[in-house]
């Protein structure tokens, strides 16, 4: 085996100590030591090194967010981080996790996950190919006056302001070519335009300052009881599919 070819697949939950530039010792969660040797001459290992750095950066970002949240009014809340492909063409950004997401610790699972699968099928992608996150990484809840149980509510301005810098860093690290926002909250977060409304922005591509292409869509939950909006949403999806195929 030539130099740089003994690359072992890594897992996202790890602690690592880099002894030098091209050799890394990883301690897996099971306590097993895995040595990685990377070669600068081998494009394949250079790519893996880049992905590895990205993964390290995302892991550190989650740790920083967890630390900031634990010293905030949200200390008791479970955080739901972004997940998916680390080198995606497309990053999808929702509003905030709901009950299923909070339970499973992953964005867009349960009912929202079913909507997501239909959405991805329409545009010809699958979940493994994209990266998915939310603006707010906790489930915003209020007490139901009827049942006394926690029910979902839209995220507050304070919650959005707290999580926004972390989302901005997450977008930079993941570095997708395309960003698809679902609804008003991520649209305002990504454009930085507090007056942006999805009714004006949906279904059209916009080039952001850093060259990424933003494609705003309605939030799937908004279309459930609105037939006209549902047709618009389908048209928007077909526009996005056509653009992605170019
Ligand atoms: N809706 C969102 O916006 N995000 C989720 O993770 C689930 C539902």
């Amino acid at each position: 085996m030539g130099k740089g070819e003994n690359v072992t697949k890594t897992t996202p939950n790890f602690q690592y100590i880099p002894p030098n530039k091209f050799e890394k010792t990883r301690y897996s969660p099971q306590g097993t030591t895995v040595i990685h040797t990377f070669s600068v001459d081998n494009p394949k290992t250079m790519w893996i090194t880049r992905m590895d750095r990205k993964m390290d950066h995302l892991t550190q970002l989650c740790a920083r967010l967890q630390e900031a949240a634990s010293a905030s009014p949200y200390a008791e809340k479970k955080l739901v981080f972004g997940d998916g492909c680390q080198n995606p063409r497309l990053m999808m950004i929702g509003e905030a996790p709901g009950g299923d997401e909070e339970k499973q610790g992953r964005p867009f699972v349960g009912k929202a996950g079913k909507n997501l699968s239909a959405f991805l099928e329409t545009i010809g992608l699958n979940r493994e190919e994209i990266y998915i996150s939310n603006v707010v990484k906790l489930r915003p809840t209020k007490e139901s006056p009827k049942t006394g149980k926690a029910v979902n509510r839209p995220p507050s301005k304070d919650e959005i302001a707290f999580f926004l810098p972390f989302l901005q860093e997450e977008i930079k690290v993941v570095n997708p070519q395309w960003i698809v926002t679902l609804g008003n909250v991520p649209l305002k977060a990504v454009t930085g335009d507090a007056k942006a409304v999805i009714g004006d922005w949906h279904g059209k591509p916009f080039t952001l300052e850093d060259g990424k292409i933003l494609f705003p869509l309605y939030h799937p939950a908004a279309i459930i009881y609105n037939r006209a909006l549902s047709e618009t949403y389908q048209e928007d999806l077909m526009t996005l599919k056509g653009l992605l195929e170019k």
Side-chain angles (χ1 to χ4, degrees):
M1 186 183 283
K3 196 180 175 210
E5 284 175 14
N6 56 334
V7 176
T8 321
K9 213 166 173 277
T10 54
T11 56
N13 301 313
F14 52 75
Q15 213 194 341
Y16 91 91
I17 304 161
N20 68 43
K21 207 170 165 193
F22 303 118
E23 196 172 272
K24 290 182 177 181
T25 309
R26 290 196 182 287
Y27 298 94
S28 76
Q30 293 78 28
T32 339
T33 306
V34 186
I35 309 280
H36 298 252
T37 308
F38 297 94
S39 158
V40 273
D41 310 323
N42 183 335
K44 189 173 149 213
T45 59
M46 280 171 76
W47 185 85
I48 291 171
T49 308
R50 218 166 50 236
M51 288 308 106
D52 218 41
R53 284 210 196 100
K54 226 181 198 189
M55 201 149 88
D56 290 345
H57 198 147
L58 282 173
T59 308
Q60 285 165 19
L61 180 63
C62 291
R64 269 188 282 124
L65 175 50
Q66 192 82 65
E67 203 180 319
S70 66
S72 81
Y74 315 121
E76 300 302 314
K77 291 289 233 176
K78 180 168 169 186
L79 299 183
V80 178
F81 299 112
D83 83 358
C85 174
Q86 255 125 48
N87 191 36
R89 192 165 168 224
L90 188 149
M91 173 170 177
M92 199 184 84
I93 309 174
E95 191 176 283
D100 288 325
E101 288 74 24
E102 188 185 47
K103 258 186 228 131
Q104 294 186 41
R106 287 184 77 200
F108 287 91
V109 289
K111 194 158 173 256
K114 278 200 189 127
N115 283 339
L116 172 72
S117 304
F119 153 87
L120 290 174
E121 203 172 307
T122 310
I123 62 171
L125 291 175
N126 64 56
R127 190 173 175 125
E128 288 68 45
E129 286 174 281
I130 67 164
Y131 183 90
I132 311 171
S133 198
N134 283 301
V135 178
V136 168
K137 272 40 175 191
L138 54 79
R139 179 190 178 201
T141 54
K142 62 179 182 190
E143 197 181 292
S144 157
K146 274 193 205 153
T147 62
K149 285 190 184 156
V151 289
N152 295 345
R153 62 162 169 79
S156 68
K157 279 196 176 150
D158 284 352
E159 287 162 346
I160 294 169
F162 178 84
F163 287 101
L164 185 58
F166 294 97
L167 174 73
Q168 286 164 339
E169 189 174 339
E170 192 179 14
I171 295 172
K172 262 200 202 134
V173 180
V174 175
N175 196 24
Q177 186 187 358
W178 289 83
I179 297 178
V180 172
T181 51
L182 302 179
N184 276 315
V185 172
L187 170 65
K188 289 178 205 286
V190 170
T191 57
D193 180 353
K195 293 206 176 97
V197 282
I198 191 64
D200 297 337
W201 285 66
H202 74 93
K204 289 171 286 208
F206 298 89
T207 304
L208 300 170
E209 265 173 29
D210 60 2
K212 295 182 179 49
I213 308 166
L214 166 67
F215 194 90
L217 285 174
Y218 282 101
H219 194 284
I223 61 166
I224 292 174
Y225 302 107
N226 188 330
R227 210 183 141 85
L229 215 54
S230 161
E231 275 167 26
T232 308
Y233 185 75
Q234 288 305 322
E235 281 165 23
D236 291 351
L237 287 183
M238 293 322 289
T239 307
L240 176 59
K241 184 174 195 273
L243 290 167
L244 289 173
E245 280 168 358
K246 268 189 193 163

